[in-house]
Amino acid sequence: MKVLIVCTNHETFPTKTGKTGLWLSELTYFYDVMSKRRVLMDIVSPLGGKIPIDERSLELKDECNAKYWEDAAFRAKLNNSLSPAQIHSADYRLVYFAGGHGAMWDLAENTDLQNIVRDVYERNGIVSAVCHGVCGLLNVKLSDGSWLIQDKYVTGFSNVEEALMSFVSEVPFYLEDKLKERGAHYTKSMIPFMEFIEMDERLITGQNPNSAKKVASKALEELFEK
């Protein structure tokens, strides 16, 4: 029983001076849920090596964030993530894409990650993602040539949430729009930033950072009860 967590390596915005990268709680909350069930986890990124943390997400008053940020073994995983070439997809029952704005630049176009996702899914594994991490599913094609998310119910960071964050001028695309263009049935919470997940067979997606724990809980339920 192993889980593969995908994180971004990208840390810069086109014009804003602040650093982006992984949104920390989207990893820590998922990691915590899995750790409590002693699930083995590996972290992979497009380039391997260090995972940058979006400075806006480094909220250490949050107990879950602080717990893992102060954990030497966890930090070592963040600083020494695996590369896709080091991954044997047959080892994993579940793939999870964590978000953060950085994901918008390097997760959607990585063909090695797309192949890993396809292999896990077609072996009856579970594919999950949260917030901007859902962009990692946009270009995944199955062996029959169809898009993974085509005709599937999914969620992800909404246009309204992007506008409220004032990052519209920075992001390379709107995730909500791209999901719809791929033929996915996009759904979202009526209220921005509220916890919301969508599940369609073995595909589990969360709308925003507040949804990471629920994505993890649903994924864990599927892993152990199905």
Side-chain angles (χ1 to χ4, degrees), residues 111-210:
T111 55
D112 293 328
L113 290 173
Q114 292 165 25
N115 291 338
I116 291 168
V117 172
R118 182 198 65 224
D119 292 348
V120 171
Y121 188 78
E122 291 187 342
R123 286 186 296 99
N124 292 314
I126 300 164
V127 173
S128 60
V130 73
C131 200
H132 292 98
V134 178
C135 74
L137 309 181
L138 280 171
N139 296 316
V140 176
K141 272 192 174 180
L142 301 178
S143 295
D144 64 5
S146 65
W147 300 109
L148 168 67
I149 62 172
Q150 186 175 342
D151 294 324
K152 299 285 200 316
Y153 283 88
V154 302
T155 189
F157 208 59
S158 68
N159 293 354
V160 170
E161 288 167 326
E162 203 70 81
L164 290 171
M165 291 282 286
S166 301
F167 278 87
V168 171
S169 63
E170 298 292 314
V171 295
F173 55 86
Y174 275 122
L175 178 57
E176 177 180 334
D177 290 348
K178 288 292 185 183
L179 291 168
K180 291 174 180 177
E181 286 174 20
R182 275 283 176 263
H185 302 294
Y186 178 84
T187 65
K188 63 183 177 182
S189 168
M190 293 293 291
I191 303 173
F193 303 108
M194 291 292 288
E195 175 186 77
F196 183 83
I197 73 167
E198 188 64 81
M199 182 169 177
D200 193 324
E201 296 179 347
R202 289 172 288 107
L203 182 63
I204 305 168
T205 48
Q207 183 177 333
N208 47 45
N210 293 325

Side-chain angles (χ1 to χ4, degrees), residues 44 47-49 80-88 91-92 116:
V44 67
L47 302 176
N80 301 279
S81 68
L82 301 172
S83 69
Q86 294 173 282
I87 299 301
H88 300 283
D91 294 341
Y92 301 95
I116 291 168

